[in-house]
Amino acid sequence: MAARIIVVEGDITQQAVDAIVNAANASLLGGGGVDGAIHRAAGPELLAACRALGGCPTGEARITGGYRLPARHVIHTVGPVWRGGGCGEDELLASCYRASLGLAVQHQVRSIAFPAISTGAYGFPIERAASIAVRTIRSFLDTHGEIDEVRLVCFGPEATAIHRRELGGA
């Protein structure tokens, strides 16, 4: 079956997929936005699992169980803070998607949901981030048929419209 990318507006913590991706900070110990919402929904077991991981550098990813979430796994990735575009932010963001998808394949994940990594408090411009996300995911899926569905889960109609436009109206 060919892999599919879809855009949905909604709450990533409610996605019934094999894995959701957490836009985490380097400590992996919870924070605001998507990170805080995932930690609250997953329960205290997630924090304990993240403590054992010892953090994660920007552009890399780590995996834990999903605990109280509908998803079996949480893949934690640390996106770059936007510093104007001249500090390797584009490549670091692309690396977040590649590293997360790589872990998904290693753990037999068939469906995965991503938030718009780095576009909240980290300030990455949403149009630029959406372009990087779609391009990187498509490139990965071209050589990895193991994943059936990638969901780009957007918070709000503006982010949803931008991601759908980037995907080509899908």
Side-chain angles (χ1 to χ4, degrees):
M1 170 187 269
R4 297 183 311 126
I5 306 171
I6 62 170
V7 176
V8 299
E9 183 178 348
D11 179 347
I12 197 161
T13 68
Q14 300 301 309
Q15 301 301 306
V17 291
D18 292 337
I20 63 171
V21 175
N22 180 15
N25 61 49
S27 76
L28 302 182
L29 301 181
V34 168
D35 191 15
I38 289 172
H39 272 267
R40 284 189 299 277
E45 300 89 350
L46 182 61
L47 180 59
C50 286
R51 274 201 180 100
L53 294 175
C56 180
T58 302
E60 293 185 18
R62 305 289 186 264
I63 192 167
T64 63
Y67 305 100
R68 300 178 190 175
L69 293 162
R72 193 171 73 235
H73 300 287
V74 177
I75 297 174
H76 309 266
T77 192
V78 181
V81 173
W82 180 253
R83 301 191 191 289
C87 298
E89 296 98 316
D90 289 1
E91 180 50 38
L92 286 167
L93 184 59
S95 181
C96 288
Y97 286 94
R98 282 192 304 272
S100 297
L101 290 164
L103 274 178
V105 168
Q106 288 175 28
H107 292 269
Q108 292 83 46
V109 165
R110 304 297 302 218
S111 58
I112 184 170
F114 283 92
I117 299 166
S118 285
T119 62
Y122 285 11
F124 211 106
I126 185 91
E127 295 87 357
R128 188 169 179 153
S131 175
I132 291 166
V134 169
R135 185 173 59 249
T136 304
I137 293 165
R138 279 185 173 147
S139 176
F140 187 92
L141 294 178
D142 282 347
T143 58
H144 294 86
E146 303 93 335
I147 298 174
D148 296 327
E149 181 179 280
V150 177
R151 289 186 199 171
L152 300 174
V153 181
C154 300
F155 185 75
E158 182 183 358
T160 304
I162 290 167
H163 282 80
R164 283 191 176 138
R165 192 168 46 247
E166 191 59 43
L167 196 55

